[in-house]
Amino acid sequence: MVAQALELTGPKPSPPYALPMHLSRTSWQLPPVALTLAIAALAHAALWSFRAEDVDTFLIPWFDHIRSTGVIDAFATPFSNYTPPYLYLLALVTPLGVVLPGLTVLKLLSMLGTVSLAGALWRLFSALDAPSPQRAAALTLSLPSTLLNAPLLAQCDAMWAAACVMALAMAVERRHASMLTWLGLAIAFKLQAAFFGPFAVALLLNRRVGMHLWLIAPATAFATLLPAWAAGWPIADLLTIYVRQTGHFDLLSLNAPNPWIIVQALPVLQDLPLQGYAMAIAIGGSVAYIAWLASRRIGPELILPAALLAPLLLVGTLPRMHERYFFLADILAFALAVTMRNRAG
């Protein structure tokens, strides 16, 4: 009888990926999905008419090129400084330009990225056994970062961030081949996905994942180039898109809120090789981060904070960073916040 009583009243076993007690349940209620979507719709409507400079400089010319040459023939020659995955999606929605303004089509495509990000967060929250994953994921549509990125600026950062979040969900479930596939897809969308790289490397080292699986990420990224190459886009140009992107700007900081935006404003330091110092700090910090994380036990209570630290560390120390490069850190900070108890809990 005593044994039965202890069995009934004792602690229940946790699911294999459940969060520990201090992360397992929030003591506050998330708003209903319907209310969140209504607020998000109002915010999107208020921002929708804004036309950013990048729209007319880059996006509309790419959109017009695809419309004038055809969905497939457009890729016969280089026409963009973006890698193909975004351009494939742009080509698929370009026929909507017959009935909708180009700006609307571009923002709808960006919204598709935000919805994908919300779905990825839902998957992550479910993997972590977080409370009300559907309510938490719906909040993605109302975050300041996603509102500024898609309905205001028509940017596509939610796409590569969604792939990184899916990679994190696969990491939680120890599905390493899937994690690396998603990471490769993220890098194929934008080079900024490399900010997630130190976490992935540390995790693979920590769990002693075979080196043959490491090849999945670059193989996936390369595979996304094949349709454009088959259509006529020279492979040498495709493989060097990121190299050319990094050479467009030479400022120490491009409005990113890291220490370099302050340093570059100090005239007495202009003659120093500050970009070299910044790169050395970023590389050294990344190596230290990987060594620290690879040597620890990475349980559910550590995986989200550790993943958040990687983009914070890199974007906070690298030169030539835009403010938008903190996008993944913003999303992971949000994910961490909704999976934690508040201080009164």
Side-chain angles (χ1 to χ4, degrees), residues 62 65-67 69-79 91 231 233:
W62 302 344
H65 170 77
I66 296 172
R67 287 194 64 187
T69 57
V71 169
I72 296 177
D73 292 342
F75 293 89
T77 56
F79 68 94
W233 197 317

Side-chain angles (χ1 to χ4, degrees), residues 42-51 107 144 146-148 151-153:
L42 291 174
H44 280 68
L47 300 172
W48 199 263
S49 62
F50 181 79
R51 194 179 187 98
K107 291 195 173 185
T146 56
L147 289 174
L148 292 174
L152 186 73
L153 300 177

Side-chain angles (χ1 to χ4, degrees), residues 12 78 86 107 125 136 162 202 205 232 242 249 286 324:
K12 300 291 191 260
Y86 173 78
K107 291 195 173 185
F125 293 144
L205 291 172
Y242 286 148
F249 304 101
S286 297
R324 292 203 318 272

Side-chain angles (χ1 to χ4, degrees), residues 109-133:
L109 178 57
S110 297
M111 273 302 305
L112 176 64
T114 306
V115 173
S116 300
L117 178 58
L121 282 167
W122 189 347
R123 185 70 177 80
L124 175 62
F125 293 144
S126 299
L128 288 169
D129 192 37
S132 304

Side-chain angles (χ1 to χ4, degrees), residues 3-80:
Q4 290 178 347
L6 289 174
E7 182 178 355
L8 291 175
T9 59
K12 300 291 191 260
S14 298
Y17 308 112
L19 296 173
M21 285 299 293
H22 69 286
L23 294 176
S24 61
R25 288 292 180 267
T26 55
S27 58
W28 43 272
Q29 291 295 318
L30 296 170
V33 172
L35 176 60
T36 300
L37 295 181
I39 294 173
L42 291 174
H44 280 68
L47 300 172
W48 199 263
S49 62
F50 181 79
R51 194 179 187 98
E53 182 180 349
D54 280 0
V55 168
D56 292 313
T57 304
F58 300 105
L59 302 180
I60 288 296
W62 302 344
F63 175 81
D64 290 340
H65 170 77
I66 296 172
R67 287 194 64 187
S68 62
T69 57
V71 169
I72 296 177
D73 292 342
F75 293 89
T77 56
F79 68 94
S80 168

Side-chain angles (χ1 to χ4, degrees), residues 223-317:
T224 65
L225 306 179
L226 297 180
W229 185 18
W233 197 317
I235 189 63
D237 190 274
L238 289 168
L239 292 173
T240 55
I241 287 175
Y242 286 148
V243 175
R244 295 194 301 275
Q245 283 181 355
T246 58
H248 281 173
F249 304 101
D250 198 36
L251 293 174
L252 190 58
S253 176
L254 299 167
N255 295 324
N258 62 20
W260 304 120
I261 197 169
I262 300 174
V263 172
Q264 77 176 5
L266 302 176
V268 295
L269 300 178
Q270 294 303 311
D271 294 332
L272 296 177
L274 296 177
Q275 295 208 22
Y277 290 144
M279 287 295 299
I281 291 171
I283 293 171
S286 297
V287 171
Y289 166 90
I290 291 171
W292 165 76
L293 189 59
S295 63
R296 294 177 62 90
R297 179 186 174 276
I298 306 177
E301 74 283 357
L302 182 62
I303 200 164
L304 252 180
L308 168 60
L309 182 57
L312 281 177
L313 173 66
L314 279 175
V315 186
T317 55

